[in-house]
Amino acid sequence: MTARKIIAVVGATGAQGGGLVRSILADAAGPFAVRAITRDETSPAARALAAAGAEVVAADIDDATSVRRAFEGAHGAYCVTFFWAHFSPDKEMAEARTMAAAARDAGLRHVVWSTLEDSRRFIPLEDDRMPTLVGRYKVPHFDSKGEADQAFRDAGVPTTFLLTSFYWDNLIHFGMGPKRGADGKLDFVLPMGDRKLPGIAADDIGRCAHGIFRRGTGFAGRTVGISGQHLTGTEMAASLTAALGEEVRYQAVTPAVYRGFGFPGAEDLGNMFQFNRDFSDEFCAARSIEFSRSLNPALQTFDAWLAENAKQIPRG
């Protein structure tokens, strides 16, 4: 029997990495085994992955030696960074450089790198339509990933650059679900106007990444984008209304208003949505639903995701 190839998954207990770990474990007859990399191998989530059949390995993304050790002997790796744990684009780029170097040193045959567009290619820093943040970024958590693409190219590792989409799980875990207005009605707030926003279930990011690994290195060196559906705020509100059983109104605030909401990361997200809005055609074109379904035939629509998850969405 041919030995199964190991895919090392960074962030294995998180949204994207967890989806990939579960997808590989569910494919019992497939060509891959999974190595779940996590900072704390004793956490309940890590123990659950071990119980499900994953090899669980501890590594700290800030410790290059531990990351290299976690990649040793693997065929490929899924690499993702942790911007929302520290809000630092410089630290995010350091995380990417650490993974790229570890992948090179471990001799990996294929890396899937979870990335995003560098918005400064579309909106130069001197363009005052959007404020510049942290000194040299428009959308810090986009730009730092896009800038870090070069680390994987410089490392010479066969890499697929995977453009992800807004994941609908943010409605549960990131406080982006509907909120009650002063009149008691639910409002779904986005600064997207009438433009479409590509979205996806977090689990489907992992399943699509699994599909890329199954294709071999055919996508190495290429940038590919994935999405479950492209929807306007009005369309999302209508689906939420049906799923939650009460009216949800779409409130299309301006990006400036959104930036002023004051929660951690509000300015970054306000700029992100403005970028998505102003370049919606380009953003959607880079994320083909048909291509995503070819990688992952079980790709969910927003309505299908809501059917499974609506009860978890807070109604603040």
Side-chain angles (χ1 to χ4, degrees), residues 71 79 81 89-105 111 113-115 118 143-161:
F71 284 179
C79 292
T81 47
D90 290 340
K91 188 167 184 177
E92 183 168 46
M93 284 191 287
E95 292 170 352
R97 287 192 293 268
T98 293
M99 289 185 290
R104 177 198 62 214
D105 294 345
V111 166
W113 157 234
S114 176
T115 189
D118 187 333
D143 301 349
S144 52
K145 291 181 182 66
E147 188 172 330
D149 289 354
Q150 193 60 42
F152 290 91
R153 296 189 180 100
D154 290 345
V157 181
T159 300
T160 302
F161 301 88

Side-chain angles (χ1 to χ4, degrees), residues 11 13-20 22 167 169 202-203 206:
T13 60
Q16 296 184 34
L20 176 54
R22 289 187 289 273
Y167 42 93
D169 307 66
D203 264 353

